[in-house]
Structure formats: structure tokens, C-alpha cells
């Protein structure tokens, strides 16, 4: 018996003359502008990296922290501008990413669009494709992830899909670079307007009238008239706001009159348009993918463990611990290398070069090298951490982490999607605050932003590492793991308090997409990790450099009678006296000395400055007059130390999973000069207290600025106040307990 199917929606075939003129414009463009559009998790980022390679430049879209990827390259002897748009499920925007994508399609005037589809989820992806066909822009389709579709037992007929859409369709496996060259060639030579959806006659008549009115308005993008007309009938608030802001009130009035007329006919334009697109997307999927029995995929088998209600969260915590063990085992030798031999060599060179200028030598050798150098010594740690985190993100596991945390998040009136900004907070709190814009309810956005600073950002990691090396050399990764878990626990506890007091839940739910597991391309992982590490290095070059220079100046200014500039004892300097005046506040926490207190103050500017200031305070005097080193001797010393670090790092790899020797986070008993100094200045109890305070107090002034921008100054400064109070109380509690146990 043949099943009855709903009637297929009629098709809208583009006018031949219009199609030919548009395609000819693409072929004649001196530097065609090609934009890449697709749903999230379709491999679009991997594809754009495969096409653009090293020419890809990454920045931010204006006014937001969402990444903007673009490239200028040459293809077939022709210059091409390539723009990767953020992932979007629809061009009726509900998220900042979707709004940016829609705005770029309207304003960037692209010559061609490459639409990336997931071959294993065609019906869902094709809704966006049908919206793109409402633009008068040549389109080509990248049928990506065909290997994963085959693993599911699906066979996708790219030729049939191409005939049904009326545009070229190219099969690609972006992670292996398959089909990417042919894709760009087809986009530039064969892209066309395609076959769109013809909506019910009452709606088409209305669209035709609105398009005729738009043709009289030269300020509206001519390639988007049909899309804008449909968006007005759908009641898209962002399109209406855009037209109202640009003075097109007559067009809005005409659209309102048409909507009223349709309503009297019993036609709901929003529902009719959506149903027509969904029906057409279903038809296209059935044409492209003959009925086949899908096999149980590897992702489904892995999710039985990863999403297990009892084992899932312990597995997540174990993976986080494994990341820190890997970070310590691989990176520690290089941290010791940069913070020890390389820094000593550089100081020796600087002492020899600036022997004629004692004041400059003191600044460089006593402030800049120990301050900035100590911060930069942790670049290997961050690089390994970012590589590991990028692997978890790009493999699809982090989406599972958000799903796992959904139950815990609902305990504070949030959903699993709110965990995504918290995960981003492990990298940097600033973009994480901006990422809360994706949450629909205002109370959720404010709540997540206020608990976000408790998530331990990467700038705090150097502080943990140097203290772990100094006082906990056999349990460093466990210590760092415990600090990250403590930050999460405090965030959830405070979130629960806010929910029950000032920010009650508003209700609602959310859908989370779980992409299939994928083995990320190493080239892409390296680019992600290198870009984030380079961003940290740039901050060291600017913020840290400026801060340590100011600290050096304050350490050089005498605060006692008879003192001389740059020769005064540190405790008698302006910096020392101010820090000493503040130190009684921290005495109950176990570190009531001016050195520890003084490092916390510039840490308010940026957390990485804490390590730089500690290095400047504790190492400045002993580094003030190092033995001059010749160029050749210094180079030989540095190369020898580097080779030893490489051998030590490789030898330490087995300790990542070597359970019989769980604490083997350092591979040598020797400590860096700063670690040795801290071991003399702190006890284990006071060090734990200091780390807890660093974890919980205000992360940086940039985070405060982001909070003020998103939620107002009052929210920002209230957040600062409660963080300082919680940090002090928690550090006090930790010190009192640790002092009795250690």
C-alpha cells in the first residue's frame, strides 16, 4: 500500500534574464566576494580553513566578540575575497550569530554564497538553504561530512539534489581537504540563483507588491528585495527595526496593510511561509537520500557512556583532570626552561649591553625581564591547555558537557545552554560575558554574568603553576584540578543564592544540539591554540609590560627620608609601604606580608600580572646585577637547555596516565628561581589560601568593563564587591583548615 504524501509545494524558477545577468556579474567581478553560510556543527570552520589555509585572518565582528574569519586568496589566477559567516539555523535571527549572518548577507553585497550542509542532517539544514534562495545571489552548495553520512548507512545523491535545487552541489570532506578546491571553482564558475519555494498565491501577490515598492527605494539592497518582503510578512522585528531606523515607514505601513488583508482572508503569513519551507526541505531530503535503514553510529555508542546519568559527570571531571595532567607533564620542562636558563641568558645579554646605562639596566634586568619573562614562561602551559581544550570542543564533547550539566544548571533555574558561557570562562571571562547574549531571558544573562568570574580563566593558571611547582611539586595537577572544581562549586552555590533572592527564574526551556563525534584536524587545532596563546602573549607585551614598569617605578620611589631613587630597599619604597599598610587585611589569611599583598593589587588589572609582580619583587634584587654573558656563550647555553627540556618533556608523557605515580607533575627536583623564592616565603597552608583568593577575587578590569557594558555599572561593582568578600572568606576558611592539617 502506497503511503499518501502531502502535496509538494510549488516551485519558483528564477527569470532566465535575471539569472543570466546575475551570473555574468559574478564572472565579471574583479575580486568576487564569496560568503560561506551554514548551520552550526556542519564543519564550516574546518572547510574555510581548508580553502583559505594560512591566508585566513581572524578578528571580531564590530561591537561583539564573535569571531570574523576572512581571507583574500587567488584561485585560478583570479583574486577572491572569502568571508565566513557565523553558524545560523535560520535567517530569522534569534541569536547574535544569526543576526550577524543575516546582516552580512544584506550589507556585504556578496557576489556568491557557498552554503555548507551536513550530508547526514539534510532536512534540518535545507531550511536555511531555502531562505538563501530568497536572495538574488548565485548559490553553490557544499555537501560536507559525506563520510559521516555513509557511516550512518546513508547514501546522498548529490546530482539529484543539484537538479532539485538548480544549483551546483559539491561533495566535500573538509577535514581531509576533499572537494574543497572543486567547491570554490564551482562557486565562482557555476553558481546560479536556483529554484526557490513559491508560497501560496495570496502571499506571492503581497510579496510582488512589496518588491515593486522596494524597487522605487534605491537605498534598499536590490539582491534582497524578496527576502525583505517575506521577512516583513513574517513579522521579523529586526527587519522592521532596520527599516524604521532608515526612514522606510511607508513600506512598513504597506506591509501592515497587507498583513491585515491576509488576516481577514484567514491566512497566517508566518505559518504559511514556514510550512512551505519545511515541506520543500522534506521533499528535497527524500529526493537526495533514498530511504535506507540507518546504522547505529559510533557517536550513539559513545554517548551511552558519555551521557550516562551516573557516569557522565565523573567522566567529564576525569577528562578535565587528564587535561591538567597533560598540561603539567608536557609543559613543565619548558616553563622551567623559559623561567630559568633562557631568562638568565637574556638578563646576562642585557647586563652586558646596558653596562654603560645603570638605570636602564636596572629597569630591564630588575623589572622587565623578571616581570614579563615570568609571565611568558607560562606560554607552553597555555599552548598545551588550549590544544587540549580545542580538541574537546572540536570533537563534539563539550556539547555533551553542556547536556550533562543541564540537570545541575536547572538546580539554579538555568538550562544546559547556560553552561556554554561558563566553559568559555575557562579561557577568558571577557568573551564569556558577551556570550551570555545567546541566552533568551534577561535574568539568566545577568545571573550567568555574575557567577562567571568565579570560573578560573587561563590568566590565573600561571599563578597556580608557579605555586604548585614551589610548594606542591608532587601533586600539582590535582591542585589545579581542585581549584577549577572549587571555582565551579562557588559559582553554582552563589547562583543558587541569587536565584532565591534577587534574580528569580523566569521559566522556559531550550533545545541542545549534540553534534556527532569527530576527530579534529590537527592543523585546525593548532591554529585555534596558537591564536589564543598569541593573544595572551600580546597582553604580556602591553598590559603586563606597562604594569611591571609602573611597579618598578613605585619600587624605585623612596617613601622614607634620606632614600634615593632606584637604590631604596623594596620594603621602604612607595610600593612597599602602601602594600605593607594593606597587609593586615590579609594577615588572617596567612599571607600578611607586603610582597604577597603587593602582587594582588596590580592583579586587579590582569591576573597574569600577579606572577610578573611576584617575579619582579622576589627576583628583582638578585637579577639587578647578573654576570654579563657573551652572545655566543649565551646562545650555546640556551640551545643546550632547550634540548634538555625537549627530552624531559617527551620522557614525561607516560606519566599523564601513569596511575602508580599520580603526582609526577614535575620531572626534576630543581625549581625555578621564583618557585624557590616562593617556597621560602609561603607555607603550604598560606599558599593554598593565596591561591583560593586569586581564584575567587575579581579576575581583571576588562571583565568589570564587560559586565558594566552588558548589565550596567551597578551590577558590575556589586559583582566586584561580593567577589572580594567571598574570596576573603573562602581563603580564611581554607587557611584555618589547612594550617591544622598540613
Amino acid at each position: 500500500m502506497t503511503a499518501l504524501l502531502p502535496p509538494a509545494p510549488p516551485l519558483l524558477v528564477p527569470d532566465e534574464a535575471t539569472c543570466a545577468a546575475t551570473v555574468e556579474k559574478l564572472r565579471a567581478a574583479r575580486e568576487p566576494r564569496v560568503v560561506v553560510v551554514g548551520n552550526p556543527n556542519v564543519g564550516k570552520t574546518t572547510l574555510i580553513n581548508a580553502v583559505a589555509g594560512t591566508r585566513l585572518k581572524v578578528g571580531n565582528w564590530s561591537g561583539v566578540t564573535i569571531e570574523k574569519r576572512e581571507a583574500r586568496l587567488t584561485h585560478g589566477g583570479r583574486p577572491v575575497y572569502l568571508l565566513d559567516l557565523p553558524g545560523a539555523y535560520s535567517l530569522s535571527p534569534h541569536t547574535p550569530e544569526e543576526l550577524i549572518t543575516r546582516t552580512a548577507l544584506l550589507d556585504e553585497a556578496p557576489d556568491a554564497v557557498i552554503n555548507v550542509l551536513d550530508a547526514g542532517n539534510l532536512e534540518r539544514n535545507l531550511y536555511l538553504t531555502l531562505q538563501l534562495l530568497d536572495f538574488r545571489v548565485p548559490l553553490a552548495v557544499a555537501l560536507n561530512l559525506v563520510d559521516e553520512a555513509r557511516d550512518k548507512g546513508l547514501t546522498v545523491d548529490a546530482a539529484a539534489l543539484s537538479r532539485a535545487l538548480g544549483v551546483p552541489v559539491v561533495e566535500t570532506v573538509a577535514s581531509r581537504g576533499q572537494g574543497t578546491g572543486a567547491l570554490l571553482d564551482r562557486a565562482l564558475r557555476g553558481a546560479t540563483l536556483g529554484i526557490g519555494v513559491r508560497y501560496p498565491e495570496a502571499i506571492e501577490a503581497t510579496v510582488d507588491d512589496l518588491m515593486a515598492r522596494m524597487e522605487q527605494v534605491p537605498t534598499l539592497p536590490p539582491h534582497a528585495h524578496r527576502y525583505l518582503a517575506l521577512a516583513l510578512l513574517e513579522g521579523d522585528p529586526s527587519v522592521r527595526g532596520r527599516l524604521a531606523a532608515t526612514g522606510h515607514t511607508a513600506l512598513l505601513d504597506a506591509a501592515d496593510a497587507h498583513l491585515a488583508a491576509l488576516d481577514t482572508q484567514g491566512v497566517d503569513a508566518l505559518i504559511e511561509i514556514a510550512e512551505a519551507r519545511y515541506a520543500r526541505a522534506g521533499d528535497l531530503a527524500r529526493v537526495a537520500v533514498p530511504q535506507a535503514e540507518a546504522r547505529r553510529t559510533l557517536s550513539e555508542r559513545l554517548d551511552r557512556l558519555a551521557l550516562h546519568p551516573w557516569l557522565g559527570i565523573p567522566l567529564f571531571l576525569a577528562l578535565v583532570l587528564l587535561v591538567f595532567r597533560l598540561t603539567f607533564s608536557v609543559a613543565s620542562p619548558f616553563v622551567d626552561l623559559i623561567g630559568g636558563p633562557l631568562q638568565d641568558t637574556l638578563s646576562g645579554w642585557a647586563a652586558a649591553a646596558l653596562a654603560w646605562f645603570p638605570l636602564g639596566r636596572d629597569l630591564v634586568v630588575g623589572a622587565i625581564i623578571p616581570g614579563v619573562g615570568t609571565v611568558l614562561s607560562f606560554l607552553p602551559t597555555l599552548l598545551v591547555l588550549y590544544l587540549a581544550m580545542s580538541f574537546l570542543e572540536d570533537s563534539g564533547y563539550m556539547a555533551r558537557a553542556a547536556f550533562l550539566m543541564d540537570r545541575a544548571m536547572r538546580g539554579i533555574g538555568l538550562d544546559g545552554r547556560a553552561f556554554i558561557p561558563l566553559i568559555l570562562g575557562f579561557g577568558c571571562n571577557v568573551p564569556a560575558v558577551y556570550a551570555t547574549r545567546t541566552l533568551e531571558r534577561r535574568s539568566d544573562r545577568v545571573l550567568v554574568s555574575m557567577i562567571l568570574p568565579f570560573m578560573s580563566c587561563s590568566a590565573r593558571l600561571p599563578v597556580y603553576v608557579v605555586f604548585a611547582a614551589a610548594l606542591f611539586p608532587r601533586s600539582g595537577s590535582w591542585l589545579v584540578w581542585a581549584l577549577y572544581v572549587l571555582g565551579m562549586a562557588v559559582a553554582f552555590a552563589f547562583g543558587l543564592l541569587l536565584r532565591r533572592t534577587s534574580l528569580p527564574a523566569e521559566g522556559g526551556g531550550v533545545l541542545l544540539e549534540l553534534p556527532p563525534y569527530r576527530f579534529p584536524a590537527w592543523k585546525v587545532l593548532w591554529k585555534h591554540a596558537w591564536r589564543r596563546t598569541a593573544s595572551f602573549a600580546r597582553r604580556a607585551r602591553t598590559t603586563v609590560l606597562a604594569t611591571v614598569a609602573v611597579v618598578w617605578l613605585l619600587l624605585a620611589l623612596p617613601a622614607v627620608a634620606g632614600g634615593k631613587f632606584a637604590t631604596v630597599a623594596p620594603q621602604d619604597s612607595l610600593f612597599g609601604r602602601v602594600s605593607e599598610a594593606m597587609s593586615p587585611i590579609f594577615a588572617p589569611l596567612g599571607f600578611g606580608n607586603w610582597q604577597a599583598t603587593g602582587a594582588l593589587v596590580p592583579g586587579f588589572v590582569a591576573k597574569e600580572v600577579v606572577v610578573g609582580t611576584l617575579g619582579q619583587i622576589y627576583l628583582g634584587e638578585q637579577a639587578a646585577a647578573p654576570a654579563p654573558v657573551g652572545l655566543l656563550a649565551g646562545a650555546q647555553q640556551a640551545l643546550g637547555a632547550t634540548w634538555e627540556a625537549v627530552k624531559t618533556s617527551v620522557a614525561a608523557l607516560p606519566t599523564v596516565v601513569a596511575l602508580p605515580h599520580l603526582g609526577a607533575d614535575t620531572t626534576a627536583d630543581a625549581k625555578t628561581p621564583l618557585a624557590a623564592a616562593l617556597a621560602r616565603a609561603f607555607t603550604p597552608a598560606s599558599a593554598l589560601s593565596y591561591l583560593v583568593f586569586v581564584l575567587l577575587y575579581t579576575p581583571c578590569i576588562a571583565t568589570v568593563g564587560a559586565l558594566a557594558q552588558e548589565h550596567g555599572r551597578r551590577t558590575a561593582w556589586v559583582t566586584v564587591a561580593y567577589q572580594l568578600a567571598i574570596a576573603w572568606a573562602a581563603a580564611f576558611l581554607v587557611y584555618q583548615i589547612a594550617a591544622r592539617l598540613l
Side-chain angles (χ1 to χ4, degrees):
M1 180 177 178
T2 303
L4 295 176
L5 297 175
L11 305 180
L12 181 69
V13 180
D15 175 74
E16 288 187 15
T18 302
C19 185
T22 306
V23 172
E24 183 59 32
K25 178 185 175 185
L26 167 62
R27 292 176 178 172
R30 173 175 291 182
E31 185 187 51
R33 301 172 62 84
V34 181
V35 298
V36 184
V37 186
N39 284 189
N41 302 311
V42 297
K44 188 166 58 66
T45 299
T46 305
L47 186 141
I48 199 78
N49 274 282
V51 172
T54 57
R55 293 154 295 194
L56 188 67
K57 291 181 170 50
V58 180
N60 286 336
W61 290 90
S62 177
V64 295
T65 59
I66 297 171
E67 286 187 343
K68 179 179 184 179
R69 297 179 178 89
E70 55 188 340
R72 279 185 162 84
L73 57 143
T74 301
H75 182 79
R78 186 183 184 190
V80 179
Y81 172 75
L82 201 63
L83 177 62
D84 178 27
L85 299 183
Y89 291 107
S90 165
L91 297 180
S92 303
H94 297 284
T95 67
E97 289 84 357
E98 290 175 344
L99 181 60
I100 286 173
T101 295
R102 201 273 306 282
T103 302
L105 287 168
L106 292 173
D107 295 344
E108 295 286 339
D111 295 301
V113 173
I114 295 176
N115 179 208
V116 185
L117 304 181
D118 178 355
N121 290 287
L122 275 183
E123 186 168 356
R124 185 197 66 197
N125 284 209
L126 284 166
Y127 188 91
L128 176 63
T129 307
L130 296 173
Q131 286 185 302
L132 291 171
L133 289 172
D134 288 329
F135 286 85
R136 198 168 67 186
V137 178
L139 181 73
V141 168
L143 193 62
N144 198 31
L145 305 174
V146 291
D147 54 336
E148 293 183 6
R150 294 190 190 103
D151 291 342
K152 295 178 181 179
L154 304 176
T155 301
V156 184
D157 190 338
L161 182 61
S162 177
R163 289 191 297 270
L165 285 172
V167 301
V169 176
V170 180
E171 292 188 2
T172 61
V173 181
S175 60
R176 301 174 191 164
Q178 296 177 5
T180 54
L183 171 65
L184 191 55
D185 187 68
R186 295 295 299 276
L188 295 174
R189 299 177 185 272
T192 186
L193 297 185
I195 302 170
V197 178
R198 177 175 287 280
Y199 303 99
E201 287 305 321
I203 292 177
E204 285 292 343
T206 300
V207 169
D208 290 342
D209 178 72
L210 292 174
M211 290 176 64
R213 294 172 184 269
M214 290 180 192
E215 289 175 359
Q216 310 303 315
V217 184
T219 55
L220 292 177
H223 68 281
H225 285 176
R226 180 173 175 82
Y227 169 78
L228 289 173
L230 288 165
L232 285 173
L233 296 183
E234 291 176 290
D236 189 318
S238 57
V239 166
R240 292 185 64 88
R242 178 189 177 102
L243 294 177
T246 51
H248 298 99
T249 54
L251 194 58
L252 293 174
D253 292 341
D256 290 340
H258 280 302
L259 285 171
L262 289 171
D263 189 55
T264 60
Q265 300 173 42
V267 177
D268 188 320
L270 175 63
I271 292 177
E272 293 287 348
I273 292 170
E275 286 184 346
R277 286 175 181 154
Y278 280 121
R280 177 61 175 157
D283 290 342
L284 289 168
R286 285 187 286 273
V287 166
V289 185
Q291 293 298 318
E293 183 177 350
R295 296 194 294 264
R296 190 176 184 85
T297 65
L298 176 63
S299 291
E300 291 171 334
R301 293 195 293 270
L302 290 176
D303 279 342
R304 294 184 64 183
L305 174 63
L307 301 180
H308 192 279
W310 296 107
L311 300 178
I313 290 181
L315 176 63
F316 168 66
L317 295 175
L319 284 174
V320 173
L321 175 61
L322 186 65
V323 166
F324 292 132
R325 289 187 57 78
L326 177 67
T327 300
F328 272 75
S329 298
V330 175
S332 288
F334 294 100
V335 173
D336 296 341
L337 167 71
I338 299 173
L342 292 188
Q343 192 167 307
D344 292 343
T345 300
L346 192 59
S347 296
W349 283 343
L354 297 173
W356 59 276
F357 184 29
L359 186 62
R361 181 196 61 197
D362 292 346
L363 172 61
V364 173
V365 176
I368 293 176
I369 291 178
V372 178
T374 301
V375 175
L376 292 180
S377 69
F378 295 98
L379 290 182
T381 300
L382 294 174
L383 180 61
V384 176
L385 175 66
Y386 287 142
L387 277 171
M389 296 300 290
S390 295
F391 182 88
L392 293 178
E393 291 169 5
D394 291 359
S395 67
Y397 181 75
M398 279 306 188
R400 271 79 182 172
F403 181 85
L404 284 170
M405 297 304 296
D406 183 74
R407 181 180 299 177
M409 300 298 286
R410 290 190 183 280
I412 56 175
L414 297 169
D415 54 61
R417 191 172 62 176
F419 191 60
I420 300 299
L422 297 180
I423 291 175
L424 293 177
F426 287 141
C428 179
N429 290 167
V430 176
V433 170
Y434 290 121
T436 60
R437 294 176 182 178
T438 61
L439 305 179
E440 296 179 2
R441 299 181 291 273
R442 181 184 179 277
S443 65
D444 292 356
R445 294 193 295 271
V446 175
L447 175 63
V448 174
S449 295
M450 292 183 75
I451 66 176
L452 252 173
F454 291 124
M455 308 303 285
S456 185
C457 65
S458 60
R460 300 170 195 169
L461 184 60
V463 186
Y464 307 158
V465 172
V466 72
F467 273 88
L471 292 122
F472 309 98
R474 297 298 177 186
S475 54
S477 60
W478 290 95
L479 172 64
V480 176
W481 176 80
L483 288 168
Y484 274 73
V485 172
L486 175 62
M488 293 172 59
V490 172
F492 281 109
F494 192 72
L496 182 61
L497 176 64
L498 289 175
R499 267 295 185 235
R500 295 185 175 179
T501 53
S502 57
L503 290 171
E506 298 176 16
V510 71
L511 293 176
L512 289 172
E513 180 187 5
L514 299 181
Y517 289 101
R518 301 179 180 122
F519 197 88
W522 288 111
K523 185 182 295 185
V524 175
L525 291 181
W526 177 259
K527 286 182 178 179
H528 288 337
W530 181 257
R531 186 173 67 250
R532 294 172 179 176
T533 307
S535 174
F536 183 90
R538 284 192 294 271
R539 290 202 302 270
R541 189 181 64 192
T542 54
T543 304
V544 179
L545 179 61
T547 304
V548 297
V550 170
V551 171
W552 175 83
L553 178 62
L554 295 176
L555 282 167
L557 289 173
V560 295
K564 294 183 179 180
F565 182 79
T567 61
V568 66
Q571 63 271 25
D572 293 328
S573 67
L574 182 60
F575 182 87
R577 286 304 176 92
V578 171
S579 300
E580 192 171 2
M582 298 174 58
S583 60
I585 299 174
F586 301 98
L589 311 186
F591 51 89
N593 57 73
W594 72 269
Q595 295 97 329
T597 303
L600 294 175
V601 176
F604 190 81
V605 177
K607 278 295 177 289
E608 52 266 49
V609 176
V610 172
V611 170
T613 306
L614 287 171
Q616 190 175 351
I617 292 172
Y618 284 109
L619 305 182
E621 285 189 310
Q622 57 183 282
V629 177
L631 184 62
L632 183 59
Q636 290 175 338
Q637 175 182 321
L639 288 174
T642 302
W643 176 241
E644 288 300 321
V646 171
K647 291 192 298 182
T648 305
S649 180
V650 173
L653 280 173
T655 67
V656 174
V657 292
L659 294 180
H661 199 35
L662 286 174
D665 296 320
T666 57
T667 55
D669 293 330
K671 295 182 172 69
T672 63
L674 178 57
L678 293 176
R680 293 190 296 269
F682 285 83
T683 65
S686 64
L688 286 175
S689 173
Y690 196 79
L691 290 176
V692 169
F693 191 87
V694 169
L695 164 70
L696 299 178
Y697 91 108
T698 311
C700 65
I701 195 65
T703 301
V704 178
L707 285 167
Q709 180 180 350
E710 291 295 297
H711 308 298
R713 293 182 180 178
R714 181 178 179 275
T715 299
W717 291 112
V718 166
T719 303
V720 171
Y722 75 67
Q723 273 204 287
L724 289 171
I726 290 175
W728 194 97
F732 175 79
L733 185 63
V734 166
Y735 177 69
Q736 297 303 319
I737 295 174
R740 288 164 172 77
L741 297 179
L742 298 179

